[in-house]
Amino acid sequence: MRNSSVGKSSGVYRAQADINVTPLVDVMLVLLIIFMVTAPMLTAGLHVNLPQAKAAQKLDPKPPVVLTYGKDGTVELDGQSYRVEQIAEAVEAKLGDDRTQPIHLRADRDAAYGDVVGLMDVLAAHGLTRLAVLTGPAGKSEPPRPDKTTAGAPAPRP
């Protein structure tokens, strides 16, 4: 006698008709981790020793426009004080038609953050977007300013 279930699977194991996605996901996650680890290493530039040229001339970049923002809210450009509303016109007059010249903003560390952002917003509203905020070197701070608590006291030794 022949078994009537010749074409069918018998027992616990049956043929699976769909694809098992779990190994595929595992392999993809491993590859993702490998690429995440190696990608920062690939972006490093090549170090070269540049040759020297006698006929080369240095570029003459234009000096930047330097704005100084004090903690009391005064804005200075070339030694003249301006209100925040007036500074954009003064900067535009200094730049002329050359909008590629950078604008450096030196803001006092004690100035209100919102006021400095307001100044940057006024400049950006007038199309002055080549703006750099200047900072001091790391680890070096200015000497303490005399105030009512330290007035008349001897200066601390470095």
Side-chain angles (χ1 to χ4, degrees), residues 34-45:
I34 290 171
F35 287 130
M36 287 173 56
V37 169
T38 58
M41 295 178 211
L42 298 175
T43 59

Side-chain angles (χ1 to χ4, degrees), residues 8-141:
K8 298 179 183 177
S9 308
S10 62
V12 181
Y13 301 105
R14 296 185 157 225
Q16 190 173 4
D18 57 347
I19 298 172
N20 189 359
V21 182
T22 304
L24 175 69
V25 170
D26 290 344
V27 169
M28 289 297 136
L29 286 175
V30 169
L31 287 174
L32 177 68
I33 291 170
I34 290 171
F35 287 130
M36 287 173 56
V37 169
T38 58
M41 295 178 211
L42 298 175
T43 59
L46 180 65
H47 296 287
V48 294
N49 187 11
L50 294 175
Q52 300 294 321
K54 293 180 183 178
Q57 296 177 1
K58 290 185 178 182
L59 295 175
D60 187 24
K62 295 180 181 175
V65 174
V66 180
L67 293 176
T68 305
Y69 188 85
K71 71 177 181 177
D72 57 350
T74 58
V75 183
E76 287 188 4
L77 173 65
D78 292 335
Q80 292 182 337
S81 294
Y82 294 92
R83 291 194 330 257
V84 173
E85 300 82 23
Q86 299 172 328
I87 195 65
E89 289 82 15
V91 171
E92 286 176 335
K94 178 142 176 94
L95 289 175
D97 293 333
D98 185 18
R99 294 293 178 112
T100 61
Q101 193 173 354
I103 302 167
H104 290 182
L105 176 60
R106 297 176 60 231
D108 191 285
R109 85 170 61 196
D110 297 329
Y113 177 73
D115 295 340
V116 176
V117 171
L119 172 64
M120 293 169 61
D121 187 46
V122 167
L123 294 171
H126 284 82
L128 304 169
T129 56
R130 291 187 47 95
L131 185 66
V133 178
L134 302 182
T135 63
K140 294 183 180 179
S141 62

